[in-house]
Amino acid sequence: MFAIRKLSQITKNCVIRLSSPRKESCLALQFLTSRSKHNGILKDDDLRDEEYENLSSEYLGLSSGGHNALVLQPYIKWGPDKKTNTTPELQLEEAVTLLKTLPNWSVVDKMCVSLMTLEKSKLLGIGNLESLKKRVRSNKVTAVFVSTDLLKPIQMQELEHALRVPVYDRYSIVVQIFRAHAKSQEAKLQVAIAEIPYMWTKLNLIKDNRTAQVGLVECRRKLLMGREAKLKNALKKLKAQRELLRSKRKTHKIPTVAVVGYTNAGKTSLIKALTGDKTLEPKNCLFATLDVTLHRGELPSRLKVLFVDTIGFIQDVPSTLIEPFIATLEDAINADVILHVNDATHPDRRAQMEHVDETIKSLIKDQPVINVANKIDLLKEDNPPVGMLGVSATQLTGIDILREQIDKELLKATGRSVIRMRVQAGSQAAAWLYKETAVTNVEADPKNAQ
């Protein structure tokens, strides 16, 4: 018994290899990665409200038939607000890709326009506005997408009056993409909450209109207040449920690796490559993943681990749009190791990486971050970006090396160790090791077969 207690002290935080994983740990992993169809947070019927749907269609400019859109990319010519890590042309291409994510929308024209500021009540000067009006008419444009985070109500009103077509900003477009991609109750709940600030902005614009009907405005105000209260209450329950699951993972001492990155960087593809989970179906589009999901994996040390898939980041959207998703992003914030995935082939890679770095630094604590350059099989040159581990999730290039790096960082972050010891075959000590640790390898002593 003394020898076993002694071993317990030595191997309490060790990872040794276990040829057949502990049943308890396997069951815990299975439970913590399972998805409940009825989580009791909010039912689909609670999200459906005909009166609200009519209002949101009006305020968000929802259109099932889509639009022939002109994409307008404003940018600051010089000064402290000028972006130096990207170009207007690259920003414009992202805006075009964003719009094409919506079903039935097409881009018939696009243009960049330089401005001194985005804060004026009239966004465009007379010359730029006239040029835009001509292009809208000549290309039979049915909507204009101004690629800035959030237009002021007076800016949108002025543009719609001059162009006589609906005008959208990034907030309204991203919300519509979220609506189209949200599948689970959790995702639908968070999207519903993300809509509310935009709805209030629209309602306040109508309220300030002297010709507005007071009774109608008051009725809509009560509708929004009631829906907002119900959704916030459901979000509190979601946070509590997520916290419970996190505490269970801590109880079972199951380490987690959060996979974060810019939207469409290949996070889901990388998790599939790391875990071999054939049920994962990555998609080549923006915001394909809105849910934070957990996936079981095993590292070279045979340590069981959970990989956390997260919603992708994107530049130039208001914090009120992303804030509701913090409830599920906390799973990533509290992970033991962060895996930052970057699309090595993207022309705007630098700006995307800096945006994600800046965002996660404000959220995470002091966890180690592994920077990964994905899609290196599509690079013209062989070398990945400096300071990053190059991989191809689809071709499995560099995946084994990445697993070893995750293993190393995770063992260090969780206080585990890999040790080598001599134990008598068939002894109580050997039985204890197989039961309580992960035994990676067993070799007979050449001088003593026992």
Side-chain angles (χ1 to χ4, degrees):
M1 291 299 294
F2 173 78
I4 296 175
R5 284 198 298 271
K6 187 72 174 179
L7 279 173
S8 180
Q9 292 172 4
I10 295 173
T11 62
K12 183 178 180 181
N13 293 316
C14 294
V15 176
I16 307 177
R17 185 74 55 191
L18 184 61
S19 56
S20 56
R22 292 180 62 189
K23 183 178 180 181
E24 180 185 346
S25 299
C26 291
L27 291 174
L29 280 165
Q30 187 174 1
F31 169 75
L32 293 170
T33 55
S34 63
R35 298 181 58 82
S36 174
K37 294 181 180 179
H38 305 286
N39 54 24
I41 296 171
L42 203 68
K43 297 178 182 178
D44 285 341
D45 290 342
D46 294 325
L47 291 172
R48 294 194 190 100
D49 184 317
E50 186 175 351
E51 190 175 1
Y52 175 79
E53 286 302 315
N54 292 334
L55 185 62
S56 62
S57 293
E58 177 186 339
Y59 285 3
L60 295 172
L62 304 178
S63 174
S64 59
H67 279 292
N68 293 323
L70 180 148
V71 180
L72 178 70
Q73 180 62 59
Y75 67 96
I76 305 300
K77 288 191 290 188
W78 58 71
D81 294 329
K82 179 182 178 180
K83 292 190 174 184
T84 57
N85 61 355
T86 186
T87 66
E89 291 74 23
L90 289 173
Q91 289 180 280
L92 177 61
E93 287 310 308
E94 179 179 271
V96 169
T97 304
L98 195 63
L99 201 61
K100 288 181 177 179
T101 305
L102 283 172
N104 302 320
W105 284 62
S106 60
V107 176
V108 295
D109 199 4
K110 57 184 179 180
M111 61 183 290
C112 294
V113 57
S114 62
L115 303 174
M116 293 297 295
T117 178
L118 298 172
E119 301 303 318
K120 289 185 177 180
S121 57
K122 291 188 177 181
L123 184 68
L124 303 179
I126 296 175
N128 282 328
L129 185 59
E130 285 301 315
S131 175
L132 181 59
K133 286 166 67 175
K134 288 179 182 178
R135 295 177 75 153
V136 167
R137 288 195 296 267
S138 61
N139 290 296
K140 297 181 179 180
V141 171
T142 61
V144 171
F145 170 34
V146 182
S147 182
T148 187
D149 57 353
L150 183 64
L151 287 170
K152 294 181 178 181
I154 193 170
Q155 292 174 330
M156 186 173 288
Q157 195 174 42
E158 184 262 342
L159 286 172
E160 289 185 338
H161 177 74
L163 303 174
R164 304 204 177 276
V165 295
V167 175
Y168 298 83
D169 52 23
R170 286 175 78 95
Y171 198 132
S172 57
I173 291 299
V174 171
V175 160
Q176 291 193 48
I177 294 172
F178 282 0
R179 272 189 162 221
H181 291 179
K183 304 301 180 187
S184 71
Q185 289 181 1
E186 289 181 2
K188 290 176 182 178
L189 166 62
Q190 291 168 110
V191 173
I193 295 173
E195 294 174 4
I196 296 295
Y198 196 86
M199 299 287 286
W200 278 119
T201 300
K202 286 285 191 172
L203 182 62
N204 291 332
L205 176 63
I206 294 173
K207 185 177 69 174
D208 294 338
N209 190 334
R210 293 180 181 179
T211 62
Q213 298 178 20
V214 177
L216 177 63
V217 172
E218 180 62 17
C219 181
R220 291 183 170 184
R221 187 184 71 84
K222 289 181 178 179
L223 175 66
L224 282 182
M225 286 182 64
R227 185 173 176 86
E228 185 174 28
K230 180 194 293 185
L231 294 176
K232 284 186 175 180
N233 183 53
L235 185 62
K236 286 181 181 178
K237 292 180 181 178
L238 172 60
K239 287 182 177 180
Q241 187 181 78
R242 285 282 175 178
E243 180 59 38
L244 177 62
L245 288 174
R246 282 194 294 274
S247 66
K248 286 182 180 295
R249 289 200 294 272
K250 288 180 181 178
T251 300
H252 290 286
K253 298 181 180 179
I254 299 174
T256 55
V257 177
V259 183
V260 304
Y262 209 79
T263 180
N264 206 31
K267 297 181 293 297
T268 304
S269 295
L270 187 58
I271 291 175
K272 184 174 183 177
L274 287 166
T275 63
D277 188 347
K278 295 181 180 180
T279 64
L280 287 171
E281 298 179 356
K283 295 179 181 178
N284 184 23
C285 68
L286 304 184
F287 297 113
T289 300
L290 290 185
D291 289 299
V292 171
T293 54
L294 305 177
H295 307 273
R296 289 174 283 176
E298 185 177 277
L299 298 177
S301 65
R302 294 199 184 170
L303 178 64
K304 305 302 177 185
V305 63
L306 289 177
F307 288 94
V308 187
D309 200 359
T310 63
I311 182 175
F313 294 91
I314 194 168
Q315 302 176 81
D316 300 326
V317 293
S319 59
T320 50
L321 181 58
I322 301 300
E323 188 175 343
F325 291 88
I326 296 298
T328 45
L329 276 174
E330 285 175 354
D331 286 323
I333 297 167
N334 291 282
D336 298 298
V337 172
I338 309 294
L339 205 62
H340 176 187
V341 187
N342 187 252
D343 181 352
T345 67
H346 201 286
D348 209 16
R349 183 185 61 81
R350 178 189 167 196
Q352 291 182 355
M353 187 169 182
E354 288 180 2
H355 172 71
V356 177
D357 279 337
E358 183 180 346
T359 304
I360 64 175
K361 280 179 182 178
S362 64
L363 297 175
I364 67 175
K365 301 165 188 174
D366 56 353
Q367 301 99 313
V369 178
I370 302 174
N371 292 310
V372 179
N374 191 23
K375 309 180 185 180
I376 61 167
D377 55 306
L378 302 178
L379 286 176
K380 292 181 180 179
E381 66 275 10
D382 294 333
N383 298 324
V386 177
M388 304 187 75
L389 185 61
V391 303
S392 169
T394 56
Q395 302 299 315
L396 303 183
T397 306
I399 296 300
D400 288 340
I401 297 174
L402 176 57
R403 278 200 193 95
E404 291 174 0
Q405 183 65 26
I406 295 171
D407 206 2
K408 178 182 175 181
E409 295 292 346
L410 198 54
L411 291 174
K412 187 190 305 180
T414 59
R416 290 174 168 88
S417 303
V418 177
I419 65 174
R420 185 182 180 92
M421 65 173 62
R422 295 173 76 252
V423 179
Q424 186 174 7
S427 66
Q428 285 183 307
W432 183 90
L433 289 173
Y434 275 106
K435 181 181 178 183
E436 299 294 340
T437 71
V439 179
T440 61
N441 187 39
V442 177
E443 294 178 4
D445 188 332
K447 297 180 180 179
N448 185 350
Q450 292 301 309

